[in-house]
Amino acid sequence: MSETHEARIKRMKMRSWRRGIREMDLILGPYADAKLEQFDAAALDLFDTLLEENDQDLYPWFSGAQPCPPQYVGLFAEISTFMQGKLHKA
């Protein structure tokens, strides 16, 4: 049986908040809560693929310590812009 759209969003939000590194929870969780319901199928697929990555790889990509893979460049830019907006409001 295939996962419903609503179940997929719920699963992805939970996985965004329950990573392995707290810093990644705080980056991906708020973004997922705010944005996933607006995503089309292709954007959801990309974010779902990102969630499959190890936090030990993700964090250096987000921090700029290592270059992120090309398939994530646009998504990382969106997440960074979102997080900068959150920081300016705080």
Side-chain angles (χ1 to χ4, degrees):
M1 187 167 149
S2 193
E3 184 177 43
T4 66
H5 180 76
E6 293 79 18
R8 184 179 191 194
I9 297 290
K10 184 177 179 178
R11 174 184 56 79
M12 291 171 69
K13 285 181 179 182
M14 186 178 71
R15 288 196 62 219
S16 296
W17 277 106
R18 290 177 177 85
R19 304 295 306 166
I21 298 174
R22 184 69 179 146
E23 291 83 356
M24 291 311 307
D25 296 348
L26 296 173
I27 293 170
L28 296 178
Y31 180 80
D33 285 349
K35 301 291 185 175
L36 288 186
E37 292 176 16
Q38 304 164 23
F39 280 11
D40 63 17
L44 284 173
D45 289 345
L46 181 62
F47 195 79
D48 216 0
T49 301
L50 179 77
L51 292 175
E52 294 294 324
E53 300 285 354
N54 291 320
D55 284 350
Q56 292 77 14
D57 295 324
L58 284 174
Y59 190 72
W61 298 340
F62 273 105
S63 68
Q66 295 177 359
C68 77
Q71 69 266 28
Y72 299 131
V73 169
L75 180 56
F76 273 55
E78 287 179 33
I79 294 170
S80 293
T81 299
F82 174 81
M83 292 306 296
Q84 287 174 1
K86 299 285 283 179
L87 291 174
H88 288 133
K89 290 179 183 177

